[in-house]
Amino acid sequence: MASSAAAAAATVMLGGKGSALSPAAVYAFSLGLAAPGIDPSAHKSLSTRAPSPQETPARLAAALAALAPAESRAAAAVLLNKLVLTSSDSASALVTAATVARLADSLDLAAALPLASRDEAAVAAATAPVAVALAALIDCCAAPLARVADAVAALSCEAARGDAAAFDVPASGDGLCAKDEADVAADIKVLVFGSKLVGAAGGVPAAATFAKVPALNGIFRQAVRALHVLVRIELNAPVKLGKRDAGETGEGKEEALVVLATQLARAVQALSKLSIARARLCAESIADAELREKLTGGVSVDDLKGMLDNVLIDSDAVSVLKGVYNHLLKFRDFLAWEAAVAMAVIEADSSIEKPQAAVENEAASVTEKPLAGGDKAKGDKKSKKKKTLGKGTSAVLMLLRDHVTNGSTVAAMNSASVAEWATSLSLLFDPKCPGLESLVEKVKEIVESNEVRRLPKIPKGTRDFGKEQMAIRERAFSIITSVFKMHGATALDTPVFELRETLMGKYGEDSKLIYDLADQGGELCSLRYDLTVPFARYVAMNSISALKRYQIAKVYRRDNPSKGRYREFYQCDFDIAGVYEPMEPDFEVIKVLTELLNQLDIGTYEIKLNHRKLLDGMLEICGVPPQKFRTVCSSIDKLDKQTFEQVKKELVDEKGISNETADEIGNLVKTRGPPLEVLMELRKEGSKFMNNVGSVAALNELEILFKALDKANAISKITFDLSLARGLDYYTGVIYEAVFKGAAQVGSIAAGGRYDNLVGMFSGKQIPAVGVSLGIERVFAIMEQQEKERNEIRPTETEVLVSILGKDLTLAAELVSELWNAGIKAEFKLTTRVANHIKYALQSSIPWMVLVGESELQKGTVKLKDVEANQEEEVDRKDFVRELKKRLSKS
């Protein structure tokens, strides 16, 4: 929640078009800081018929007795909003104007009872207004504390002189990093940026205490956000009457809110303990023993004993939510105490330069605040050089100090004044205080400001490619393109986004991974999921009957990022469309795949191969209904990642396959081995496959394919594997998948198959096609690791470095231009230090240098240096290009 309840309007309108009830408004209603108003457009849908008193829903009646007046007002506001929303949403909903008027005028839940119609009673039962209201109060109080907790932790880090290394949590784009944890760490680093206090850890307790902050504050953020999302839905979604049992619906909402609220309570419990530990850590740095003792014991972890248990053991939702709310208020007090102690430590430390408001007298900036014992810091020369707080924590400290002192000078520090500060800060952290909004907005402004050099991040599932990675990638692309062109393929490029209708229904269960673009008021579009469907769309749209094409481009999948699995990645596709002799294009595509993987030199690999008709035949033999073939295939396709027992559980529990059928499938999918041997096994007398028409046709095609691959010396890398299913719906014939067999666990590196019906989905005219897609990201990861191990990564192809021992740009331009004109890859560098030239050449793996200094200029010569051999030779200036060409041709 960005704004406080105090900032809510005196009248909050309900039921208007586009209006929404916020947790802040519910909190304001509960405290009497706002009153509800009904939008005139909503009045029109209310009924004026006479009331027909209804029995109060049991759960609502039971909850009423336990509510405090503020809680009752909040629940009344929630029920009022739900009645108005439901009346406006459904013309048949009977909500009376009398009930709405009573609720709006009194904001008293009891005063609105009994409800005047069955629909009103159903809304009250389905809405669970008391639970939703309590959850809204929790949300309103918890949301700003997510920012405040970070700011107070940063202030304590300054006071305790903690180690900022505790907040070195790297952000990752591959899903291997908790986003909220990384965000908290980054925010606190921004707050302490520029501090001269944080640095070396103040011992093991300090290091351990602050090291917990990113993870625990991050979990708190996550819990707050999850509750906030559900609360906003429950506050503003109209009730659909007659669809489900209202009582059961309301009970389900209560249970869902309890689950999220108790998760929040656990996070609050952990943060409370951490806040107490940080407060004690700060207090221990105070020199005055009496003050230190009183501040260290100001709050106790014993105050937390039993609190969480009491929250969690209550059986009814209202009691649990009230307990979570009280737990949250206690945490607010702990946080206020920690902030007060940290402020006291900073104010009492004469070595720290205190942040001053612009209007304060300059003399005040060097006046020391007296300690409890009345001593003052000595004004020696060293006191002029004081340690400064971070830019962010300075701003936070000024805001907190101005609040607790009302802008006056800080008096002598003692335990009583610290306790007063804590009480004042606890009131500041209450959403009804206008100062809370200023504090939260200030913290937000600081952490989002570029002024403090906060490092930007990239989205999860994406990555940047530096010069070394790009060098490897470009080499890989060059090899891939040359193989494609060797087979006569032409290049094709298609839009990065397609009409949504083009992509939908082509990927089976994986369709949920398609990235939909926001509707901009025009066509509904999605980012392409692969390159195959756009290729089929292109063939159909242009009435092409035959085409051999390749495409290297990025695709996008809303997948869970992991090692080697990204949301944005390149695919390298090779496809042949058109009518050919049986297995003619299939053979060439698989041959292309073997050539690619051989020339990329990634190591040992295996190409698993199967046939979709053989797979369908197998399922038919096992007794799987035809309408379940595709969904069963998607389960079988997981066998490379899961055990058969896991897949069997999915088949039986989710897909409705019997145990016997699942076991039969399990026996057959174990079949794998050398292609010609497995083919003979499947075709032998008595084989069930020989009695299935589809299987026989598939086996005949595979015989042609295997014999061709055998003659082309490509069959040794092929494994006939009946467990290969390829979950995509559009495959109709041969399917295959290449898997890397080396040490790096990257999974599938290429896949493809025949898709005879895909083009026909767009044009009605069937154009058979077959293709393969190389997952270059995983191949690239293998190549990068191999070249790192061999230490062969070279980001540039520079052959010569022109080294001018001075600052003469015109001379450098003349010499390097001669090299460029001769087709020699060259760079130039201007510096007087020879060592810097040599260092650059070594770092960039540049084999030759042309050195020119004063002596060479006078003699009309240049020095040619073989960097690796560390040998130099002087040659005439006019001959240096020819001499270099001669030497480069030998290397």
Side-chain angles (χ1 to χ4, degrees), residues 82 239 268 293 379 440 496 506 535 645 666 723 752 788 808 810 818 857:
K82 284 289 194 173
V239 176
V268 165
E293 184 178 352
V440 171
V496 74
K506 313 298 189 304
F535 169 62
E645 288 306 313
S723 72
K788 276 183 180 177
D808 192 342
T810 56
E818 289 186 39
L857 280 173

Side-chain angles (χ1 to χ4, degrees), residues 614-624 629 632-633 636 665:
L614 188 64
L615 193 60
D616 289 349
M618 179 187 75
L619 297 180
E620 189 177 335
I621 290 166
C622 294
V624 177
F629 281 4
V632 169
C633 281
I636 295 174
I665 292 171

Side-chain angles (χ1 to χ4, degrees), residues 41 122 197 203 225 229 241 294 301 322 380 382 394 407 458 504 517 614 673 704 748 826:
S41 64
L197 296 175
R225 186 170 57 250
V229 169
L241 296 171
K294 287 182 178 180
V301 75
K322 290 183 71 169
D380 58 16
K382 289 186 179 178
S394 292
I458 59 174
M504 290 302 165
L517 299 181
L614 188 64
I704 298 170
S748 171

Side-chain angles (χ1 to χ4, degrees), residues 799 815-825 881-882 885:
E799 298 170 298
L815 293 174
V816 78
S817 293
E818 289 186 39
L819 293 173
W820 290 335
N821 293 337
I824 296 174
K825 297 167 185 172
V881 175
R882 187 174 67 253
K885 274 191 164 185

Side-chain angles (χ1 to χ4, degrees), residues 558-871:
R558 196 161 50 85
D559 209 345
N560 289 321
S562 60
K563 187 174 182 181
R565 184 183 292 273
Y566 297 93
R567 290 177 169 175
E568 177 194 61
F569 56 95
Y570 273 98
Q571 281 191 340
C572 304
D573 277 25
F574 177 89
D575 293 82
I576 302 174
V579 178
Y580 297 88
E581 292 299 317
M583 295 292 103
E584 179 185 345
D586 307 72
F587 156 73
E588 184 170 12
V589 170
I590 296 173
K591 177 62 176 170
V592 164
L593 176 57
T594 62
E595 290 174 1
L596 283 175
L597 298 179
N598 288 339
Q599 291 194 32
L600 288 168
D601 194 25
I602 59 171
T604 307
Y605 64 89
E606 173 190 57
I607 299 174
K608 296 189 290 184
L609 186 146
N610 200 358
H611 198 296
R612 203 60 182 260
K613 290 178 183 176
L614 188 64
L615 193 60
D616 289 349
M618 179 187 75
L619 297 180
E620 189 177 335
I621 290 166
C622 294
V624 177
Q627 64 270 23
K628 290 189 176 182
F629 281 4
R630 293 290 79 85
T631 186
V632 169
C633 281
S634 69
S635 297
I636 295 174
D637 195 39
K638 298 174 183 177
L639 281 170
D640 60 336
K641 306 179 188 71
Q642 299 178 5
T643 64
F644 179 73
E645 288 306 313
Q646 292 173 307
V647 171
K648 179 183 175 181
K649 188 175 188 302
E650 180 179 307
L651 288 171
V652 174
D653 295 349
E654 298 178 25
K655 305 293 175 73
I657 302 300
S658 68
N659 274 299
E660 295 75 16
T661 299
D663 287 335
E664 185 71 19
I665 292 171
N667 290 331
L668 291 178
V669 296
K670 293 176 184 176
T671 306
R672 73 188 309 272
L676 293 171
E677 292 179 17
V678 174
L679 183 67
M680 288 179 61
E681 178 70 19
L682 297 180
R683 298 179 78 173
K684 72 180 182 181
E685 188 176 348
S687 170
K688 295 178 181 179
F689 289 97
M690 297 308 293
N691 296 323
N692 182 276
V693 175
S695 297
V696 171
L699 292 171
N700 290 338
E701 289 182 355
L702 289 174
E703 182 182 15
I704 298 170
L705 176 64
F706 293 156
K707 286 181 177 178
L709 289 170
D710 187 29
K711 290 295 182 182
N713 297 318
I715 203 168
S716 61
K717 298 292 186 180
I718 312 293
T719 298
F720 193 173
D721 189 340
L722 289 191
S723 72
L724 180 66
R726 300 292 296 146
L728 303 182
D729 281 359
Y730 52 67
Y731 286 123
T732 59
V734 175
I735 51 177
Y736 31 85
E737 181 177 87
V739 180
F740 180 61
K741 306 296 285 184
Q745 299 298 312
V746 297
S748 171
I749 53 176
R754 173 168 284 278
Y755 49 99
D756 287 346
N757 302 326
L758 187 56
V759 176
M761 289 184 182
F762 299 110
S763 67
K765 180 183 177 182
Q766 298 296 350
I767 305 291
V770 61
V772 66
S773 179
L774 182 69
I776 189 61
E777 303 297 341
R778 295 179 177 183
V779 170
F780 171 72
I782 298 167
M783 294 176 68
E784 185 178 9
Q785 183 61 38
Q786 288 175 341
E787 298 211 13
K788 276 183 180 177
E789 291 171 358
R790 294 195 294 256
N791 195 27
E792 289 182 357
I793 299 178
R794 188 184 171 203
T796 73
E797 296 181 7
T798 306
E799 298 170 298
V800 179
L801 175 64
V802 175
S803 299
I804 306 299
L805 305 180
K807 299 180 180 180
D808 192 342
L809 177 59
T810 56
L811 175 61
E814 180 184 0
L815 293 174
V816 78
S817 293
E818 289 186 39
L819 293 173
W820 290 335
N821 293 337
I824 296 174
K825 297 167 185 172
E827 296 180 50
F828 66 92
K829 192 172 181 63
L830 307 177
T831 178
T832 56
R833 298 183 57 130
V834 177
N836 288 349
H837 288 285
I838 296 173
K839 181 180 178 182
Y840 181 79
L842 288 170
Q843 288 177 341
S844 303
S845 301
I846 301 174
W848 287 91
M849 295 174 64
V850 175
L851 293 140
V852 184
E854 282 296 329
S855 63
E856 286 78 21
L857 280 173
Q858 292 174 4
K859 292 187 287 184
T861 62
V862 301
K863 279 184 181 176
L864 303 185
K865 182 178 180 67
D866 183 335
V867 177
E868 186 177 353
N870 195 24
Q871 294 178 348

